[in-house]
Amino acid sequence: MIGKNIDELLDLRDEDKFDKKWVDVYHQIENQKDKIKNKKLIDDIRKEAFLKAYSLFKSSDLASYVSDDFELISKALEIGYHNKWLNGLFQCYLSNIFPCGEIRRKKEDLPMRKKEV
């Protein structure tokens, strides 16, 4: 987040090039929400993401975005949903970058949890 303040980063997320893609992925996952079985775990991940982001940046708005992103990523992993844009979003977090603006699409899939036998 070097070189930009929090408000500038949040504004970049509200622009169409980010927001439209996020909302599209959200709707695609919501259409499959009946496949989600680990709702408590996803809620716990969402809460932990919010608390961690808030403790680091003291911004409830930024923490809410991070929390929403981790919920989206968790649900995608849960249902086996694949999307290059979402992979890029997740890669931002893996690289310690707050995702905003133009997200580079990644061909690699999100790391999937191992199926239990």
Side-chain angles (χ1 to χ4, degrees), residues 5 10-11 16 19 22-23 45 48 53 55 63 69 72 75 80 94 104 107-108:
N5 70 35
L10 299 179
D11 287 344
D16 276 348
D19 187 62
W22 196 98
V23 170
I45 290 167
E48 185 64 30
S55 73
D69 290 348
L72 195 67
K75 286 180 176 180
L94 293 175
R104 299 181 87 201
K107 287 191 276 186
E108 303 84 23

Side-chain angles (χ1 to χ4, degrees), residues 24-25 28-29 32 76-77 79-83 86 110 112:
D24 287 346
V25 169
Q28 291 174 24
I29 290 172
Q32 301 179 57
L77 290 170
I79 65 174
Y81 173 81
H82 301 281
N83 178 282
L86 185 61
L110 294 172
M112 301 299 289

Side-chain angles (χ1 to χ4, degrees), residues 6 11 14 34 40-41 45 53 60-61 70 82 90 96 98:
I6 289 174
D11 287 344
D14 289 335
D34 57 312
K40 168 111 172 60
L41 176 61
I45 290 167
S60 59
D61 291 334
F70 273 85
H82 301 281
F90 187 55
N96 293 317
F98 179 69

Side-chain angles (χ1 to χ4, degrees), residues 39-94:
K39 292 177 183 166
K40 168 111 172 60
L41 176 61
I42 292 170
D43 287 342
D44 290 346
I45 290 167
R46 180 185 173 100
K47 179 180 177 182
E48 185 64 30
F50 180 92
L51 293 173
K52 182 68 171 176
Y54 186 80
S55 73
L56 290 171
F57 302 106
K58 305 299 186 237
S59 167
S60 59
D61 291 334
L62 184 138
S64 292
Y65 279 127
V66 170
S67 175
D68 290 346
D69 290 348
F70 273 85
E71 178 183 29
L72 195 67
I73 292 164
S74 298
K75 286 180 176 180
L77 290 170
E78 174 74 14
I79 65 174
Y81 173 81
H82 301 281
N83 178 282
K84 291 177 184 178
W85 184 87
L86 185 61
N87 296 347
L89 179 96
F90 187 55
Q91 187 60 48
C92 287
Y93 284 109
L94 293 175

